[in-house]
Amino acid sequence: MASTATQIERGIEAALAAVAAQDAAAFTAATTDLAALPAEQTGLVLGGALRELLEAAHPDGLDADDVQAALARTLRAALAWLPDLDPAGFVAALTGALGVTEPDETPPPPAVTQPAALLLIVDLATAAQVPPAAAIRSVFAEIERAETVEMP
């Protein structure tokens, strides 16, 4: 049996491949599988990749216009082949990654935010000229590094 981290990594890879192929059925299957995994761990990876790519795509700083442009680009491109996407998932994925969510606000479920996060990762990776899979591997490496550091 594969570890949870391996399952998350494989699920993300499958979803990224589906985005590259604009294969709605494969993307739905991959994101459904991801939503069945521990949301906190999957969100940690997706949120970390989003933060890393936001920094790479906007090295001089991120402003509201940058966020709006990323949302518009991603939604426009994705809705062409995924017409049933929930736009609220995109806002929740970005605000969650940036840590600006309201504490008493109930976030959308992972089945809504994870597909949005994956689509935003692809868009931001393109803007930053970084392969999306490289950003994901970087986050896994950082998590692994953080877990091996001994607590004082």
Side-chain angles (χ1 to χ4, degrees):
M1 175 95 178
S3 72
T4 302
T6 301
Q7 290 175 320
I8 291 169
E9 186 173 16
R10 287 181 184 158
I12 291 171
E13 287 172 357
L16 293 175
V19 173
Q22 293 190 348
D23 184 337
F27 185 72
T28 300
T31 56
T32 299
D33 291 347
L34 273 176
L37 297 171
E40 185 175 334
Q41 292 171 324
T42 304
L44 185 65
V45 173
L46 295 175
L50 278 173
R51 280 187 303 281
E52 183 175 304
L53 289 167
L54 282 165
E55 290 174 11
H58 304 285
D60 295 331
L62 182 70
D63 63 22
D65 290 339
D66 296 328
V67 172
Q68 185 176 6
L71 288 170
R73 271 192 324 266
T74 306
L75 277 166
R76 192 172 27 259
L79 287 172
W81 61 282
L82 293 167
D84 296 329
L85 280 177
D86 183 349
F90 290 83
V91 174
L94 272 176
T95 58
L98 294 171
V100 292
T101 57
E102 292 294 325
D104 20 325
E105 186 177 307
T106 303
V112 173
T113 57
Q114 290 176 358
L118 288 157
L119 292 163
L120 284 161
I121 286 168
V122 171
D123 176 78
L124 291 167
T126 300
Q129 300 178 344
V130 174
I136 298 298
R137 283 192 302 275
S138 174
V139 171
F140 272 106
E142 180 58 28
I143 292 169
E144 184 177 324
R145 186 202 62 75
E147 288 177 348
T148 59
V149 173
E150 288 188 37
M151 297 298 288

